[in-house]
Amino acid sequence: MQGRERSGGQLLDAGALVGHLVPAGSMFAFLAAHRQELFGDEDFADLFPSGRGRPSVPASVMASVLVLQVLHDCSDAEAAEAARCDLRWKVACGLALGYEGFDPSTLVYWRRRIARSARPYRISDAVRVIVAETGVLKGRRRRAVDSTILADAVVI
């Protein structure tokens, strides 16, 4: 069953309590302001066609985590930890200050569902909108990847 984000926020909502700490014009502030427009429940309803079972993490929350994960080049474990510990991520994702997080395998679960859907690029499309609106990658046209093999520092 698809989880839904409650309208009106939550008790101890990170955005209401510490949202002023998030820099205006940042991707965090943009996601906080536009998260539900970018990732509406109806945009992810096809991922949960049966309507049965335990509710998932809301689509707007999980999609925001997936976007931040891509933009910060985090592993699943790092993204799950950031959603649990980083105030900027909590504000961007609409989470409460006391949110205890989710297991990193939840990200795998969501990516699989999205990849198998009729619209597998819905998150990438949102990333393009965020990058265009916030300029978060301004001046970064190319990425250099170093393929140098580093010698292990262990003495044999």
Side-chain angles (χ1 to χ4, degrees):
M1 176 193 310
Q2 180 177 354
R4 304 202 181 273
E5 188 174 353
R6 286 189 270 167
S7 60
Q10 306 173 38
L11 184 64
L12 299 178
D13 178 59
L17 296 172
V18 295
H20 64 282
L21 299 175
V22 174
S26 70
M27 67 183 137
F28 301 106
F30 182 83
L31 271 173
H34 302 287
R35 177 182 66 257
Q36 291 181 318
E37 296 166 33
L38 288 168
F39 311 118
D41 289 331
E42 64 281 352
D43 295 331
F44 292 86
D46 63 308
L47 302 180
F48 301 91
S50 74
R52 293 180 296 189
R54 190 171 143 214
S56 68
V57 177
S60 60
V61 172
M62 194 51 58
S64 297
V65 170
L66 288 167
V67 166
L68 291 171
Q69 181 183 19
V70 168
L71 292 175
H72 287 275
D73 195 26
C74 296
S75 69
D76 289 347
E78 291 168 334
E81 182 179 359
R84 185 174 48 84
C85 300
D86 190 323
L87 290 177
R88 298 168 305 168
W89 283 55
K90 285 187 180 213
V91 169
C93 298
L95 300 171
L97 285 178
Y99 181 69
E100 294 181 11
F102 52 84
D103 190 270
S105 65
T106 306
L107 294 164
V108 174
Y109 174 79
W110 271 84
R111 278 195 301 273
R112 275 193 194 140
R113 280 191 177 249
I114 292 169
R116 293 178 183 158
S117 73
R119 293 183 26 232
Y121 300 108
R122 64 184 92 196
I123 301 292
S124 299
D125 295 340
V127 169
R128 279 191 277 284
V129 170
I130 293 167
V131 167
E133 291 288 328
T134 64
V136 69
L137 298 179
K138 201 174 274 182
R140 297 184 195 174
R141 295 282 181 217
R142 295 173 31 185
R143 179 181 284 188
V145 178
D146 186 2
S147 61
T148 305
I149 298 172
L150 299 176
D152 195 354
V154 178
V155 176
I156 298 178

